[in-house]
Amino acid sequence: MSRTPILAGNWKMHYTVAESVAFVKELEPAIAGYDAVERVVCPTFVALASVAEALRGSAVKVGAQDVHWEAKGAYTSEIAAGMLVGLADYAIIGHSECRKYLGDTDERVNLKIKAALGAGLKPIFAVGETKDEYEAKHTADVVTRQVTVGLGGVSAEQMASLVIAYEPVWAIGTGLNADSQYANTTIGLIRQTVRGLYGDGVADALRIQYGGSVKPDNMAEYMAQPEIDGALVGGASLKVPDFLALVAAAAQVKG
Ligand code: 13P
């Protein structure tokens, strides 16, 4: 089964609205030819509308970095999934920084995934073990639990629009990228978990990215692994030449 590789840039809390627009205006023509790779930029909420406008008509997609699980209400500072319709195609949900700093639990991540899908957004559902869990060799248990709880109540049809990102927390922003075979093995395990929940069709079609210190010089190594269908990238997605190199590497190996 061939799966279209997906490269998503998670800009986290970087760039003003003007900087974000300037960035995509430079990035878009640079990566426009790589249609074999799905390309997504995930700016801050405040820049979403302007970036979406700048990318109107482009194959480059836009993602939000989170959603709230309720449709509306007294949730100061939060953004409902329905508010992103027309501005974003994707929404990152369950990122370890949201789990660590914003109190996301597996149960809350599940509610957010269902809210995003209900609004027609495609979740990029992030999972991954912490350093302590990694050292205690609990990776398999942790990602299996995160995936199983996170996907509770999600239908097989809805799975067609969902992407999973395996991001070992200890590899994020540290320069300590996971060994590509280790990432491949863990992603294979995630796919097996999905196979147990939904069967072969859904599991074989599901795209699963690796994330954590992905750079132009290690991207091809990840893409060469059979289970890895792309990358969710922080730091290296903040520079146009690096973003381009990541897309080019994905296209060369998997396109
Ligand atoms: P880095 O690529 O900066 O390690 O960040 C990864 C990440 O958290 C993407 O969501």
Side-chain angles (χ1 to χ4, degrees):
M1 150 94 46
S2 86
R3 298 179 288 261
T4 304
I6 174 166
L7 190 288
N10 174 11
W11 291 356
K12 308 190 179 184
M13 196 172 71
H14 291 282
Y15 293 154
T16 64
V17 175
E19 288 165 347
S20 301
V21 169
F23 188 99
V24 294
K25 285 193 169 158
E26 193 184 336
L27 177 72
E28 201 283 331
I31 62 173
Y34 294 93
D35 288 331
V37 179
E38 192 170 4
R39 296 136 289 168
V40 187
V41 291
C42 304
T44 61
F45 279 124
V46 74
L48 271 179
S50 306
V51 166
E53 184 57 37
L55 290 176
R56 204 164 297 286
S58 165
V60 178
K61 309 238 172 71
V62 179
Q65 295 179 16
D66 198 6
V67 299
H68 195 267
W69 62 88
E70 292 289 352
K72 61 181 177 189
Y75 298 97
T76 301
S77 87
E78 296 285 1
I79 308 287
M83 296 169 183
L84 299 169
V85 173
L87 303 180
D89 304 286
Y90 284 91
I92 300 169
I93 295 174
H95 193 282
S96 62
E97 287 150 17
C98 299
R99 293 176 191 260
K100 181 175 176 188
Y101 301 119
L102 303 176
D104 272 5
T105 59
D106 291 333
E107 290 72 23
R108 210 188 256 191
V109 167
N110 173 244
L111 293 175
K112 290 182 172 190
I113 287 173
K114 287 188 285 193
L117 288 166
L121 297 172
K122 301 173 180 177
I124 297 177
F125 168 26
V127 299
E129 80 283 7
T130 62
K131 187 164 184 282
D132 286 350
E133 291 163 342
Y134 172 69
E135 285 171 354
K137 303 204 184 321
H138 289 161
T139 299
D141 290 348
V142 170
V143 297
T144 301
R145 186 201 72 228
Q146 289 173 330
V147 168
T148 306
V149 177
L151 295 178
V154 174
S155 71
E157 292 76 53
Q158 288 175 318
M159 286 298 289
S161 64
L162 184 139
V163 174
I164 291 181
Y166 167 57
E167 299 203 304
V169 179
W170 48 270
I172 294 176
T174 58
L176 301 170
N177 60 301
D179 174 78
S180 60
Q181 280 179 21
Y182 172 83
N184 189 67
T185 301
T186 309
I187 288 173
L189 182 105
I190 291 170
R191 199 178 303 285
Q192 282 307 109
T193 303
V194 170
R195 196 176 302 282
L197 294 170
Y198 295 96
D200 289 342
V202 168
D204 291 336
L206 175 68
R207 293 181 296 171
I208 310 181
Q209 302 167 302
Y210 167 76
S213 297
V214 173
K215 307 282 178 221
D217 66 2
N218 59 32
M219 180 69 181
E221 210 181 298
Y222 291 111
M223 290 302 91
Q225 296 289 344
E227 295 287 356
I228 305 181
D229 304 313
L232 180 57
V233 184
S237 77
L238 292 166
K239 294 182 198 134
V240 170
D242 285 3
F243 202 122
L244 167 61
L246 296 169
V247 171
Q252 194 181 4
V253 182
K254 284 246 157 90

